[in-house]
């Protein structure tokens, strides 16, 4: 390890470690719903705007096309989504939530909110808000 580097003082290491802990906790909460941390971001996008194309999902999430395609295939197999040709442009396939997929919104979002609260339970509310503000700012400037 280079001199002067400390994992305990590395924003990248700490953020990644917290993200892994959060993902594991979220997975435990949403697995009984038939969801995973791989399907959850796509579900969030579809709950926000149903009927997107695979390309639109890829662009919104910044995930590889092949990964999204494989995940959508599993989601369709599991009865969470239905993919159909676009009514105006038959070359496009749109992804629609099934009734089952739509019905998972409230319990899945509640699970994520509960996991957020559990992960940050040791912080007072003002520190939680500041953490979210700082992370959002770092993502906005770093992600350009």
């Amino acid at each position: 390890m280079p001199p002067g580097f400390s994992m305990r003082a590395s924003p990248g290491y700490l953020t990644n470690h917290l993200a892994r802990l959060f993902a594991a906790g979220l997975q435990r909460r949403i697995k009984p719903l038939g969801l995973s941390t791989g399907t959850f971001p796509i579900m969030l996008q579809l709950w926000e705007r149903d009927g997107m194309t695979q390309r639109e999902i890829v662009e919104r999430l910044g995930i590889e096309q092949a990964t999204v395609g494989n995940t959508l295939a599993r989601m369709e197999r599991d009865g969470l989504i239905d993919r159909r040709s676009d009514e105006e442009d038959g070359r496009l396939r749109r992804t629609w939530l099934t009734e089952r997929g739509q019905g998972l919104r409230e319990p899945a979002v509640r699970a994520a909110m509960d996991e957020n609260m559990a992960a940050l339970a040791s912080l007072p509310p003002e520190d939680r808000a500041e953490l979210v503000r700082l992370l959002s700012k770092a993502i906005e400037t770093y992600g350009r």
Side-chain angles (χ1 to χ4, degrees):
M1 203 170 339
F5 180 84
S6 167
M7 290 185 297
R8 292 173 194 237
S10 167
Y13 176 82
L14 293 171
T15 303
N16 181 270
H17 186 70
L18 181 60
R20 285 184 286 120
L21 291 171
F22 177 77
L26 180 62
Q27 179 64 36
R28 283 189 298 277
R29 291 178 190 265
I30 63 176
K31 187 175 183 179
L33 302 173
L35 298 175
S36 69
T37 54
T39 60
F40 191 67
I42 294 173
M43 295 294 286
L44 287 171
Q45 293 300 317
L46 292 171
W47 288 324
E48 187 176 296
R49 192 178 131 227
D50 206 6
M52 285 193 283
T53 64
Q54 182 172 324
R55 173 167 289 184
E56 289 170 326
I57 294 169
V58 165
E59 289 171 359
R60 282 178 163 229
L61 294 176
I63 299 174
E64 294 288 326
Q65 181 89 11
T67 301
V68 171
N70 290 335
T71 303
L72 289 173
R74 285 192 308 277
M75 293 170 71
E76 189 169 31
R77 177 201 68 203
D78 295 343
L80 298 170
I81 61 165
D82 183 32
R83 294 189 283 181
R84 303 186 297 265
S85 294
D86 184 86
E87 293 177 3
E88 294 177 14
D89 184 348
R91 297 171 297 173
L92 296 176
R93 287 184 73 199
R94 297 209 169 268
T95 303
W96 300 93
L97 290 163
T98 61
E99 188 174 319
R100 177 173 179 253
Q102 290 170 350
L104 292 173
R105 183 179 188 162
E106 193 281 323
V109 170
R110 170 59 46 207
M113 292 171 65
D114 290 348
E115 190 59 31
N116 274 307
M117 291 301 294
L120 303 179
S122 65
L123 301 178
E126 59 275 6
D127 287 353
R128 289 181 215 152
E130 181 68 0
L131 176 62
V132 169
R133 186 187 73 74
L134 292 171
L135 289 171
S136 296
K137 185 174 184 177
I139 289 167
E140 180 185 322
T141 56
Y142 187 62
R144 287 185 190 171

